[in-house]
Amino acid sequence: MIETNFWLFLTAACLIAAVPGPGIFYVAARTLSEGRASGFASTAGTALGGLVHVLAGSLGISAIILASAELFAAVKFGGALYLVWLGIKTFRGAGRALSLESEPVGDKRAFRDGVLVEALNPKTAAFFLAFIPQFLDPTGSNPTLQFIMLGAISVALNTFADIVVVLMASATRTQLVERPHLMRRLTQGSGVFIAGLGLSLALARQPANG
């Protein structure tokens, strides 16, 4: 890979990771509603989901999905419905989310949810397919390996940003947990926000070909 391309990519990827996006808002909402352990588990899940998109993009699977209106709609609505379901579940469970410690079972579920939420988001696939190829060396011997490497770096940077957000949201939650009524309202708000992310995903349009 051309060295100049790599440093341009790293700069752009750092800037993108620092800009709040749906992933950051999702892990923040999970942390506020369920605690730091759940936030970290969600972050690990979204990271794995991001790597799924990197691998799919390198193999051309993402391009096939994005080019097919039927496949794009199936993935999009699957992810949207899952987010809406998570949001409703979080909202309904607000009265129980008043302790600082999350149960291990909940953390496993948060990890699974993070994987599915990210892996079922076709907008993430579209981002990787639009962003990474700009920095590939066309004369290189293995463009697939280049794609995977740059994609993994991008996921790592996004994950680092998510971890920072989890720590900040956790500190806020620690201060609010002594106020049950306010904590309940905050958790309900997190549920509404997660469901809102699902509705936003449902309204996403298929990227134009070419």
Side-chain angles (χ1 to χ4, degrees):
M1 183 180 301
I2 300 175
E3 184 176 355
T4 302
N5 280 4
F6 175 76
W7 289 111
L8 286 174
F9 162 80
L10 192 59
T11 300
C14 286
L15 291 174
I16 291 172
V19 176
I24 284 180
F25 290 127
Y26 171 73
V27 298
R30 290 302 293 260
T31 304
L32 288 172
S33 63
E34 300 175 26
R36 183 170 60 181
S38 183
F40 282 139
S42 297
T43 297
T46 56
L48 181 56
L51 291 177
V52 169
H53 282 294
V54 171
L55 183 59
S58 68
L59 297 176
I61 298 174
S62 293
I64 294 174
I65 293 175
L66 293 175
S68 168
E70 293 78 12
L71 288 175
F72 180 85
V75 173
K76 179 183 73 170
F77 286 116
L81 287 173
Y82 197 71
L83 272 171
V84 171
W85 176 79
L86 286 178
I88 294 173
K89 188 174 181 180
T90 300
F91 183 91
R92 295 181 63 181
R96 301 188 299 270
L98 298 176
S99 64
L100 286 174
E101 298 297 331
S102 299
E103 296 181 2
V105 174
D107 298 339
K108 292 178 181 178
R109 185 183 66 245
F111 173 78
R112 179 202 64 195
D113 291 344
V115 174
L116 292 176
V117 164
E118 190 69 7
L120 292 176
N121 187 351
K123 294 169 68 175
T124 303
F127 166 76
F128 281 122
L129 289 180
F131 177 64
I132 294 179
Q134 302 177 59
F135 303 96
L136 300 180
D137 179 9
T139 63
S141 59
N142 199 330
T144 298
L145 185 59
Q146 292 182 50
F147 190 102
I148 292 175
M149 184 185 75
L150 295 183
I153 293 174
S154 182
V155 170
L157 291 172
N158 292 337
T159 301
F160 177 76
D162 288 346
I163 289 173
V164 172
V165 169
V166 168
L167 293 174
M168 294 173 62
S170 176
T172 301
R173 187 176 190 273
T174 301
Q175 296 174 0
L176 294 175
V177 78
E178 301 297 333
R179 305 168 67 181
H181 179 73
L182 183 58
M183 188 64 203
R184 184 178 296 109
R185 293 301 183 191
L186 181 63
T187 302
Q188 290 175 336
S190 296
V192 171
F193 190 83
I194 292 173
L197 289 176
L199 294 176
S200 175
L201 177 58
L203 298 174
R205 294 183 178 181
Q206 182 178 6
N209 294 328

